Amino acid sequence: MAARLGVGLRDARLATHLTQSQLADRAGVSQTWVSLIEGGQGHAASIETWSVLAASVGEQFVGFLEGIPGSERPRDMEHLRRQNALIEIAQRGGWTALPELAIDPSSARSRSVDVGLVRPARREAVVSEIWDWFEDVGAGFRSLDAKVATLTARLLAGPPTTPDVTWTIRGLYVIRDTRRNRELVRELSALFAARFPGFSSEWLAALADPAAPIPGADGFLWSTADGASLRAARIRAGS
């Protein structure tokens, strides 16, 4: 188990383009200790140490365990669960789901949307970004804006199906409901409320009901801890 965890940590570190020293700085341990753990010598490491190391490469510890070599599930299983839950709800609302939608097809390393949603009959589209864990909130906000702008340009460039009718395109955050994420959103409630002023009840209705229009502003929903469903996020500045 220690050997498989070590390989899993090394793979996750390389995937996030971190050196051993950078990971050690994030986790508050020595570079030598990281090297030993990656080499399979982490059998004496505590659960707390493994949790900190997992968080330092952007993963929840449970999800990290599921992703280690020799396990049965994909490394990104927690993320996939939330994509799946969103798609299941959106299908009821008449949306066509486009998971991992590449928005820069001409680029060798295209940016992608976690789940793109399109309802052509109503000329509506959603850029849905799913977050299990935050590293840089501001960068996430800017990325969402850029992806909405890029998708808007692509859709408007296509052949119109209805004269003089444009597309309505919004952004949607789906965030894993963990204590850490709750505390972060509570601490930054004014910021999140300003960025996502759309009513979450309206968003849930728009996703699941073909007759419900897309809300007038970007939205924010919680994903349950098990990833099976979505629920409203009541964000109030100063709450």
Side-chain angles (χ1 to χ4, degrees):
M1 178 60 75
R4 297 210 308 273
L5 281 168
V7 172
L9 178 63
R10 178 180 180 276
D11 289 347
R13 175 177 63 78
L14 293 176
T16 51
H17 307 292
L18 294 173
T19 64
Q20 287 186 345
S21 295
Q22 289 170 328
L23 174 56
D25 288 341
R26 285 190 179 190
V29 299
S30 69
Q31 184 271 329
T32 300
W33 187 218
V34 171
S35 178
L36 288 172
I37 288 176
E38 290 188 353
Q41 302 302 310
H43 52 276
S46 67
I47 293 295
E48 180 181 2
T49 297
W50 280 112
S51 297
V52 170
L53 287 168
S56 298
V57 291
E59 298 195 33
Q60 298 287 332
F61 185 51
V62 172
F64 180 73
L65 286 175
E66 290 176 340
I68 64 172
S71 62
E72 297 179 355
R73 294 180 179 271
R75 181 186 300 279
D76 58 347
M77 190 63 189
E78 289 296 328
H79 200 76
L80 296 174
R81 285 195 182 107
R82 283 154 184 79
Q83 287 179 302
N84 187 73
L86 176 59
I87 291 171
E88 285 184 340
I89 293 172
Q91 286 175 338
R92 300 201 300 267
W95 296 90
T96 297
L98 304 169
E100 301 298 338
L101 173 64
I103 60 173
D104 305 308
S106 60
S107 172
R109 298 185 64 181
S110 174
R111 294 171 298 164
S112 64
V113 175
D114 286 335
V115 179
L117 298 173
V118 181
R119 213 159 40 176
R122 299 184 65 100
R123 305 277 284 180
E124 296 173 336
V126 179
V127 173
S128 306
E129 294 287 86
I130 296 172
W131 292 93
D132 303 314
W133 178 87
F134 285 107
E135 181 177 6
D136 189 327
V137 174
F141 287 179
R142 293 189 296 273
S143 176
L144 179 64
D145 289 336
K147 290 176 182 180
V148 169
T150 302
L151 183 59
T152 299
R154 281 184 58 183
L155 290 172
L156 293 179
T161 57
T162 306
D164 303 322
V165 177
T166 189
W167 283 82
T168 300
I169 304 169
R170 300 281 182 260
L172 175 66
Y173 258 24
V174 175
I175 301 181
R176 186 180 185 186
D177 191 354
T178 63
R179 184 175 65 179
R180 180 185 185 277
N181 288 340
R182 282 272 180 185
E183 289 174 351
L184 177 67
V185 172
R186 187 179 301 112
E187 182 178 353
L188 303 176
S189 57
L191 175 65
F192 276 89
R195 181 60 186 83
F196 301 103
F199 292 108
S200 58
S201 58
E202 294 180 358
W203 268 100
L204 287 172
L207 290 173
D209 183 354
I214 191 172
D218 290 354
F220 172 115
L221 297 172
W222 288 113
S223 166
T224 54
D226 62 4
S229 61
L230 307 181
R231 61 185 177 215
R234 296 176 179 84
I235 312 173
R236 295 182 178 86
S239 60

